[in-house]
Amino acid sequence: MMKRLGIVFFAASLAACSNTPVPTNEAKEVAGSQLLSTAYAKATPDTGEVVIKRDSGRMGSLCNLYVFVDGNPVAKLYPEEKITLHLAQGRHILSADPRGACPGGMSEQVTDVVKASTQVFRGSFTSAGDFNLLPTAF
């Protein structure tokens, strides 16, 4: 009985630390001092859209998530926020670096932007404390 209770408690504690994907249309667009650059703010006929968003949840909630495009800082995200970038066609490196009182380290993804298309990436912390920036369908 005690063993089962311990397993249930352990599973519940992991669930409390889990993060949840935020639907792209429900994530709040960053603005103001959280925008570190407006270089990718305007769409043109030759750009594609890249959305980088951050999960909701407690894991990593004391962190600021810094987002970079090709090594250039573009935004600081809090939980449940996103930045929409309009990037030129071609290869780009997206980086997300959690800074502050948080686990994990920088995560990077290579993406090939196609004009008039949209790609969505999700910055998330696992229950083990790892940080990932990955393409997402959510």
Coordinates of all heavy atoms in Angstrom, one line a residue, residues 27-96:
A27 N -1.2 32.1 -27.5 CA 0.0 32.7 -27.0 C 0.1 34.2 -27.2 O -0.4 34.7 -28.3 CB 1.3 32.1 -27.6
K28 N 0.5 35.0 -26.3 CA 0.6 36.4 -26.3 C 1.8 36.9 -27.1 O 2.9 36.4 -26.8 CB 0.6 37.0 -24.9 CG 0.6 38.5 -24.9 CD 0.7 39.0 -23.5 CE 0.9 40.5 -23.5 NZ 1.3 41.0 -22.2
E29 N 1.6 37.7 -28.1 CA 2.8 38.3 -28.8 C 3.6 39.2 -27.9 O 3.0 40.1 -27.2 CB 2.3 39.0 -30.1 CG 3.3 39.4 -31.1 CD 3.8 38.2 -31.9 OE1 3.0 37.3 -32.2 OE2 5.0 38.3 -32.3
V30 N 4.9 39.1 -28.0 CA 5.7 40.0 -27.1 C 5.7 41.4 -27.7 O 5.5 41.6 -28.9 CB 7.2 39.5 -27.0 CG1 7.3 38.1 -26.3 CG2 7.9 39.4 -28.4
A31 N 6.0 42.3 -26.8 CA 6.0 43.7 -27.3 C 6.9 44.5 -26.3 O 7.4 44.0 -25.3 CB 4.6 44.3 -27.3
G32 N 7.1 45.8 -26.6 CA 7.8 46.7 -25.7 C 9.3 46.3 -25.5 O 10.0 45.9 -26.4
S33 N 9.7 46.4 -24.2 CA 11.1 46.1 -23.9 C 11.5 44.7 -24.1 O 12.7 44.4 -24.0 CB 11.3 46.6 -22.4 OG 10.6 45.8 -21.5
Q34 N 10.5 43.8 -24.3 CA 10.9 42.4 -24.5 C 11.3 42.2 -25.9 O 12.0 41.2 -26.2 CB 9.7 41.5 -24.2 CG 9.4 41.3 -22.7 CD 8.2 40.5 -22.5 OE1 7.1 41.0 -22.1 NE2 8.3 39.2 -22.8
L35 N 11.0 43.1 -26.8 CA 11.6 43.0 -28.2 C 13.0 43.6 -28.2 O 13.2 44.7 -27.9 CB 10.7 43.8 -29.1 CG 9.4 43.2 -29.5 CD1 8.5 44.2 -30.4 CD2 9.6 41.9 -30.3
L36 N 13.9 42.8 -28.6 CA 15.3 43.2 -28.6 C 15.7 43.6 -30.0 O 16.8 44.2 -30.2 CB 16.2 42.0 -28.1 CG 15.8 41.5 -26.8 CD1 16.7 40.3 -26.4 CD2 15.9 42.5 -25.7
S37 N 14.9 43.4 -31.0 CA 15.1 43.8 -32.4 C 13.8 43.8 -33.1 O 13.0 42.9 -32.9 CB 16.1 42.9 -33.1 OG 16.2 43.2 -34.4
T38 N 13.7 44.7 -34.0 CA 12.5 44.7 -34.9 C 12.9 44.4 -36.4 O 12.1 44.6 -37.3 CB 11.8 46.1 -34.9 OG1 12.7 47.1 -35.3 CG2 11.2 46.4 -33.5
A39 N 14.1 43.9 -36.5 CA 14.6 43.6 -37.9 C 13.7 42.6 -38.6 O 13.8 42.6 -39.9 CB 16.0 43.0 -37.8
Y40 N 13.0 41.7 -37.9 CA 12.2 40.7 -38.6 C 10.7 40.9 -38.4 O 9.9 39.9 -38.5 CB 12.6 39.3 -38.1 CG 14.1 39.1 -38.1 CD1 14.9 39.1 -37.0 CD2 14.8 38.9 -39.3 CE1 16.3 38.9 -37.0 CE2 16.2 38.6 -39.4 CZ 16.9 38.6 -38.2 OH 18.2 38.4 -38.3
A41 N 10.3 42.1 -38.1 CA 8.9 42.4 -37.8 C 8.0 42.5 -38.9 O 6.8 42.2 -38.8 CB 8.9 43.7 -37.0
K42 N 8.5 42.9 -40.1 CA 7.6 43.1 -41.2 C 7.7 42.0 -42.3 O 8.7 41.6 -42.7 CB 7.9 44.5 -41.9 CG 7.7 45.6 -40.9 CD 7.4 46.9 -41.6 CE 7.3 48.0 -40.6 NZ 6.1 48.7 -40.6
A43 N 6.5 41.6 -42.7 CA 6.4 40.6 -43.8 C 6.6 41.3 -45.1 O 6.2 42.5 -45.3 CB 5.0 39.9 -43.8
T44 N 7.3 40.6 -46.0 CA 7.4 41.1 -47.4 C 7.1 39.9 -48.3 O 7.0 38.8 -47.8 CB 8.9 41.6 -47.7 OG1 9.8 40.4 -47.7 CG2 9.3 42.6 -46.7
P45 N 6.9 40.1 -49.6 CA 6.6 39.0 -50.5 C 7.7 37.9 -50.5 O 7.3 36.7 -50.9 CB 6.5 39.6 -51.9 CG 6.2 41.1 -51.6 CD 6.9 41.4 -50.3
D46 N 8.9 38.2 -50.1 CA 9.9 37.1 -50.1 C 10.2 36.5 -48.8 O 11.2 35.8 -48.6 CB 11.2 37.8 -50.7 CG 11.1 38.1 -52.2 OD1 10.4 37.4 -52.9 OD2 11.6 39.1 -52.6
T47 N 9.4 36.8 -47.8 CA 9.7 36.2 -46.5 C 8.7 35.1 -46.1 O 7.6 35.0 -46.7 CB 9.6 37.3 -45.4 OG1 8.3 37.8 -45.3 CG2 10.6 38.3 -45.5
G48 N 9.1 34.2 -45.2 CA 8.3 33.2 -44.6 C 8.1 33.6 -43.1 O 8.9 34.3 -42.6
E49 N 7.1 33.0 -42.5 CA 6.8 33.3 -41.1 C 7.4 32.2 -40.2 O 7.1 31.0 -40.5 CB 5.3 33.5 -40.9 CG 4.9 34.0 -39.6 CD 3.4 34.2 -39.5 OE1 2.7 33.2 -39.3 OE2 3.0 35.4 -39.7
V50 N 8.0 32.6 -39.1 CA 8.5 31.7 -38.1 C 8.0 32.1 -36.8 O 8.2 33.3 -36.4 CB 10.1 31.6 -38.1 CG1 10.5 30.7 -36.9 CG2 10.6 31.0 -39.4
V51 N 7.3 31.3 -36.1 CA 6.7 31.6 -34.8 C 7.5 30.8 -33.8 O 7.6 29.6 -33.9 CB 5.2 31.3 -34.7 CG1 4.7 31.5 -33.3 CG2 4.4 32.0 -35.7
I52 N 8.0 31.4 -32.7 CA 8.7 30.8 -31.6 C 7.9 31.1 -30.4 O 7.6 32.3 -30.1 CB 10.1 31.2 -31.5 CG1 10.9 30.9 -32.7 CG2 10.8 30.5 -30.2 CD1 12.3 31.4 -32.7
K53 N 7.4 30.0 -29.7 CA 6.5 30.3 -28.5 C 7.1 29.5 -27.4 O 7.9 28.6 -27.5 CB 5.1 29.9 -28.9 CG 4.9 28.4 -29.2 CD 3.5 28.2 -29.6 CE 3.3 26.7 -30.0 NZ 1.9 26.4 -30.2
R54 N 6.5 29.8 -26.2 CA 7.0 29.2 -25.0 C 5.8 28.6 -24.3 O 4.7 29.1 -24.3 CB 7.6 30.3 -24.1 CG 8.3 29.7 -22.9 CD 9.1 30.7 -22.2 NE 9.5 30.2 -20.9 CZ 10.1 30.9 -19.9 NH1 10.4 32.1 -20.2 NH2 10.3 30.3 -18.8
D55 N 6.0 27.4 -23.7 CA 5.0 26.6 -23.0 C 4.5 27.4 -21.8 O 5.1 28.3 -21.2 CB 5.5 25.3 -22.5 CG 5.6 24.3 -23.6 OD1 5.2 24.5 -24.7 OD2 6.2 23.2 -23.3
S56 N 3.4 26.9 -21.2 CA 2.9 27.3 -19.9 C 3.4 26.2 -18.9 O 3.8 25.1 -19.3 CB 1.4 27.4 -19.9 OG 0.8 26.1 -20.0
G57 N 3.4 26.6 -17.7 CA 3.8 25.6 -16.6 C 4.8 26.2 -15.7 O 5.4 27.2 -15.9
R58 N 5.1 25.4 -14.6 CA 6.0 25.8 -13.6 C 7.5 25.6 -13.9 O 8.3 26.4 -13.6 CB 5.7 25.1 -12.3 CG 4.4 25.5 -11.7 CD 4.3 24.8 -10.4 NE 3.0 25.2 -9.8 CZ 2.8 25.2 -8.5 NH1 3.7 24.9 -7.7 NH2 1.6 25.5 -8.1
M59 N 7.8 24.6 -14.7 CA 9.2 24.3 -15.0 C 9.8 25.4 -15.8 O 9.3 25.7 -16.9 CB 9.3 22.9 -15.7 CG 10.7 22.5 -16.0 SD 11.7 22.3 -14.5 CE 11.3 20.6 -14.1
G60 N 10.8 26.0 -15.3 CA 11.5 27.1 -16.0 C 10.7 28.5 -15.9 O 11.1 29.4 -16.6
S61 N 9.7 28.6 -15.0 CA 8.9 29.8 -15.0 C 9.7 31.0 -14.4 O 9.3 32.1 -14.6 CB 7.6 29.6 -14.2 OG 7.9 29.2 -12.9
L62 N 10.8 30.7 -13.7 CA 11.7 31.8 -13.2 C 12.7 32.2 -14.2 O 13.6 33.0 -13.9 CB 12.3 31.4 -11.9 CG 11.3 31.0 -10.7 CD1 12.1 30.5 -9.5 CD2 10.5 32.2 -10.4
C63 N 12.6 31.8 -15.4 CA 13.6 32.1 -16.5 C 13.0 33.1 -17.4 O 11.9 33.2 -17.7 CB 13.9 30.9 -17.3 SG 14.6 29.5 -16.4
N64 N 14.0 33.8 -18.0 CA 13.7 34.5 -19.3 C 14.2 33.7 -20.4 O 15.3 33.2 -20.3 CB 14.4 35.9 -19.3 CG 14.0 36.8 -18.1 OD1 12.8 36.8 -17.8 ND2 14.9 37.4 -17.5
L65 N 13.5 33.6 -21.5 CA 13.9 32.8 -22.6 C 14.3 33.8 -23.7 O 13.5 34.5 -24.2 CB 12.8 31.9 -23.1 CG 13.2 31.0 -24.3 CD1 14.3 30.0 -23.8 CD2 11.9 30.2 -24.7
Y66 N 15.6 33.8 -24.0 CA 16.1 34.7 -25.0 C 16.1 34.0 -26.3 O 16.6 32.9 -26.4 CB 17.5 35.3 -24.6 CG 17.4 36.3 -23.5 CD1 17.3 35.9 -22.2 CD2 17.5 37.7 -23.8 CE1 17.3 36.9 -21.2 CE2 17.4 38.6 -22.9 CZ 17.3 38.2 -21.5 OH 17.2 39.2 -20.5
V67 N 15.6 34.7 -27.4 CA 15.5 34.1 -28.7 C 16.4 34.8 -29.6 O 16.5 36.1 -29.6 CB 14.0 34.2 -29.2 CG1 13.9 33.7 -30.6 CG2 13.1 33.4 -28.3
F68 N 17.1 34.1 -30.5 CA 18.1 34.6 -31.4 C 17.8 34.0 -32.8 O 17.3 32.9 -33.0 CB 19.5 34.2 -31.1 CG 19.9 34.6 -29.7 CD1 19.6 33.9 -28.6 CD2 20.7 35.7 -29.6 CE1 20.0 34.3 -27.3 CE2 21.2 36.1 -28.3 CZ 20.8 35.4 -27.2
V69 N 18.1 34.8 -33.9 CA 18.0 34.4 -35.2 C 19.4 34.6 -35.8 O 19.9 35.8 -35.8 CB 17.0 35.2 -36.1 CG1 17.0 34.8 -37.5 CG2 15.6 34.9 -35.5
D70 N 20.0 33.6 -36.3 CA 21.4 33.7 -36.8 C 22.4 34.4 -35.9 O 23.2 35.2 -36.3 CB 21.4 34.3 -38.2 CG 20.5 33.5 -39.2 OD1 20.5 32.3 -39.1 OD2 19.9 34.2 -40.0
G71 N 22.2 34.2 -34.6 CA 23.1 34.8 -33.6 C 22.7 36.2 -33.2 O 23.3 36.8 -32.3
N72 N 21.6 36.7 -33.7 CA 21.1 38.1 -33.4 C 20.0 38.0 -32.4 O 19.0 37.4 -32.7 CB 20.7 38.8 -34.7 CG 21.8 38.9 -35.7 OD1 22.9 39.4 -35.4 ND2 21.5 38.5 -36.9
P73 N 20.1 38.7 -31.3 CA 19.0 38.7 -30.3 C 17.7 39.3 -30.8 O 17.8 40.4 -31.4 CB 19.5 39.4 -29.1 CG 20.7 40.2 -29.6 CD 21.2 39.6 -30.8
V74 N 16.6 38.7 -30.6 CA 15.3 39.3 -31.1 C 14.3 39.5 -30.1 O 13.4 40.4 -30.2 CB 14.7 38.5 -32.3 CG1 15.6 38.6 -33.5 CG2 14.5 37.0 -32.0
A75 N 14.3 38.6 -29.0 CA 13.2 38.8 -28.0 C 13.5 38.1 -26.7 O 14.3 37.2 -26.7 CB 11.9 38.2 -28.6
K76 N 12.8 38.5 -25.7 CA 12.8 37.8 -24.4 C 11.4 37.3 -24.2 O 10.4 38.1 -24.1 CB 13.3 38.8 -23.3 CG 13.2 38.3 -21.9 CD 13.9 39.2 -20.9 CE 13.1 40.5 -20.8 NZ 13.6 41.4 -19.8
L77 N 11.2 36.0 -24.0 CA 9.9 35.5 -23.8 C 9.7 35.0 -22.4 O 10.5 34.4 -21.8 CB 9.7 34.2 -24.7 CG 9.8 34.4 -26.2 CD1 9.5 33.1 -26.9 CD2 8.8 35.5 -26.7
Y78 N 8.4 35.2 -21.9 CA 8.0 34.7 -20.6 C 7.0 33.5 -21.0 O 6.6 33.4 -22.1 CB 7.3 35.7 -19.8 CG 8.1 36.9 -19.4 CD1 7.8 38.2 -19.7 CD2 9.3 36.7 -18.7 CE1 8.6 39.3 -19.4 CE2 10.2 37.8 -18.4 CZ 9.8 39.0 -18.7 OH 10.6 40.1 -18.4
P79 N 6.6 32.7 -20.0 CA 5.7 31.6 -20.3 C 4.4 32.1 -21.0 O 3.9 33.2 -20.8 CB 5.3 31.0 -18.9 CG 6.5 31.3 -18.1 CD 7.0 32.7 -18.6
E80 N 4.0 31.3 -22.0 CA 2.8 31.5 -22.8 C 2.9 32.7 -23.7 O 1.9 33.3 -24.1 CB 1.5 31.7 -21.9 CG 1.3 30.5 -21.0 CD 0.0 30.6 -20.2 OE1 -1.0 31.0 -20.7 OE2 0.1 30.3 -19.0
E81 N 4.1 33.1 -24.1 CA 4.3 34.2 -25.1 C 5.0 33.6 -26.3 O 5.5 32.5 -26.4 CB 5.2 35.3 -24.5 CG 4.6 36.0 -23.4 CD 5.4 37.2 -22.8 OE1 6.6 37.1 -22.9 OE2 4.8 38.1 -22.3
K82 N 4.9 34.5 -27.4 CA 5.5 34.1 -28.7 C 6.0 35.3 -29.4 O 5.7 36.4 -29.0 CB 4.4 33.5 -29.6 CG 3.3 34.5 -30.0 CD 2.3 33.8 -30.9 CE 1.2 34.8 -31.3 NZ 0.1 34.2 -32.0
I83 N 6.9 35.0 -30.3 CA 7.4 36.1 -31.2 C 7.1 35.5 -32.6 O 7.4 34.4 -32.9 CB 8.8 36.5 -31.0 CG1 9.1 37.6 -32.0 CG2 9.8 35.3 -31.1 CD1 10.3 38.5 -31.6
T84 N 6.6 36.4 -33.5 CA 6.4 36.1 -34.9 C 7.4 36.8 -35.7 O 7.6 38.0 -35.6 CB 5.0 36.5 -35.3 OG1 4.0 35.8 -34.5 CG2 4.7 36.1 -36.8
L85 N 8.2 36.0 -36.4 CA 9.4 36.6 -37.2 C 9.1 36.4 -38.7 O 8.5 35.4 -39.1 CB 10.6 35.8 -36.8 CG 11.0 35.8 -35.3 CD1 12.0 34.7 -35.0 CD2 11.5 37.2 -34.9
H86 N 9.5 37.3 -39.5 CA 9.4 37.3 -40.9 C 10.8 37.2 -41.5 O 11.5 38.2 -41.5 CB 8.6 38.5 -41.5 CG 7.2 38.5 -40.9 ND1 6.2 37.8 -41.3 CD2 6.8 39.3 -39.8 CE1 5.1 38.0 -40.5 NE2 5.5 38.9 -39.6
L87 N 11.2 36.0 -41.9 CA 12.6 35.7 -42.3 C 12.7 35.5 -43.8 O 11.8 35.0 -44.4 CB 13.1 34.5 -41.6 CG 13.1 34.5 -40.1 CD1 13.6 33.2 -39.5 CD2 13.8 35.7 -39.5
A88 N 13.8 36.0 -44.3 CA 14.1 35.8 -45.8 C 14.2 34.3 -46.1 O 14.5 33.5 -45.2 CB 15.4 36.5 -46.1
Q89 N 13.8 33.9 -47.3 CA 14.0 32.6 -47.7 C 15.4 32.0 -47.5 O 16.3 32.8 -47.6 CB 13.7 32.4 -49.2 CG 12.2 32.6 -49.6 CD 12.0 32.2 -51.0 OE1 11.5 31.1 -51.2 NE2 12.4 33.1 -51.9
G90 N 15.5 30.8 -47.2 CA 16.8 30.1 -47.0 C 17.0 29.6 -45.6 O 16.1 29.6 -44.8
R91 N 18.2 29.3 -45.3 CA 18.6 28.6 -44.1 C 18.9 29.6 -43.0 O 19.6 30.6 -43.2 CB 19.9 27.8 -44.4 CG 20.4 27.0 -43.2 CD 21.7 26.2 -43.6 NE 22.2 25.4 -42.6 CZ 23.1 25.8 -41.7 NH1 23.6 27.0 -41.8 NH2 23.5 25.0 -40.7
H92 N 18.3 29.3 -41.8 CA 18.5 30.2 -40.6 C 18.8 29.3 -39.4 O 18.3 28.2 -39.4 CB 17.3 31.1 -40.4 CG 17.1 32.1 -41.5 ND1 17.7 33.3 -41.5 CD2 16.3 32.0 -42.5 CE1 17.3 33.9 -42.6 NE2 16.4 33.2 -43.2
I93 N 19.5 29.8 -38.5 CA 19.6 29.1 -37.2 C 18.9 29.8 -36.1 O 19.1 31.0 -35.9 CB 21.1 29.0 -36.8 CG1 21.9 28.1 -37.8 CG2 21.2 28.3 -35.4 CD1 23.4 28.0 -37.6
L94 N 17.9 29.1 -35.5 CA 17.1 29.7 -34.4 C 17.7 29.2 -33.1 O 18.0 28.0 -33.0 CB 15.7 29.2 -34.5 CG 15.0 29.4 -35.9 CD1 13.6 28.7 -35.9 CD2 14.9 30.9 -36.2
S95 N 17.9 30.1 -32.2 CA 18.4 29.7 -30.9 C 17.5 30.2 -29.8 O 16.9 31.3 -29.9 CB 19.8 30.3 -30.7 OG 20.6 30.1 -31.8
A96 N 17.4 29.5 -28.7 CA 16.6 29.9 -27.5 C 17.5 29.5 -26.3 O 17.9 28.4 -26.2 CB 15.3 29.2 -27.4

